[in-house]
Amino acid sequence: QVQLVESGGGLVQAGGSLRLSCAASGGIFSRYAMAWFRQAPGKERECVAAIDLTGASTHYPDSVKGRFTISRDNAKNVVYLQMNSLKPEDTAVYYCAARRLILATMSSNYPYWGQGTQVTVSS
């Protein structure tokens, strides 16, 4: 079992940046593909970034491509989400998620979740 704890959320003005962190424990971190999801009120949870075991392969939807960057440090058991050029529509609760081995982008593929961190972008 792996436990995930997110940090780094907050309030930022449009055009600003935030870096989210997700610390993992309880498992061999390098055996887990990782992802960041977000969920805004009244909307479905969506994947905004995913990364494979080594960081060699990443995935982003068009809505964040070029603005968000996912990375991981397997020595520190941490995955990051750097968010630049933030927009009000990026406002959501952001969740870190983990699954064994294979990168995926559907929330139903991820059995392990953090508690979430709020990101609010003001216009």
Side-chain angles (χ1 to χ4, degrees):
Q1 290 277 7
V2 62
Q3 293 81 46
L4 304 171
V5 179
E6 302 98 335
S7 61
L11 174 65
V12 64
Q13 289 189 333
S17 297
L18 280 176
R19 189 176 82 156
L20 306 183
S21 299
C22 172
S25 62
I28 301 176
F29 183 67
S30 61
R31 294 182 181 176
Y32 290 86
M34 303 297 297
W36 287 95
F37 288 79
R38 69 184 179 189
Q39 189 165 21
K43 295 190 177 181
E44 292 187 356
R45 191 169 295 192
E46 64 168 337
C47 180
V48 295
I51 191 167
D52 71 353
L53 304 184
T54 64
S57 180
T58 57
H59 166 84
Y60 305 95
D62 288 343
S63 57
V64 307
K65 198 172 292 183
R67 300 190 298 121
F68 289 12
T69 302
I70 188 170
S71 61
R72 64 189 297 161
D73 186 333
N74 285 350
K76 296 182 178 179
N77 292 358
V78 180
V79 62
Y80 303 100
L81 183 68
Q82 178 66 44
M83 304 185 293
N84 299 327
S85 302
L86 283 161
K87 305 175 181 180
E89 52 263 42
D90 294 318
T91 296
V93 178
Y94 283 71
Y95 298 90
C96 175
R99 73 186 302 265
R100 290 293 303 271
L101 300 178
I102 307 298
L103 185 156
T105 60
M106 294 180 62
S107 59
S108 58
N109 291 136
Y110 285 83
Y112 306 110
W113 292 85
Q115 81 287 354
T117 186
Q118 177 71 45
V119 171
T120 302
V121 184
S122 64
S123 58

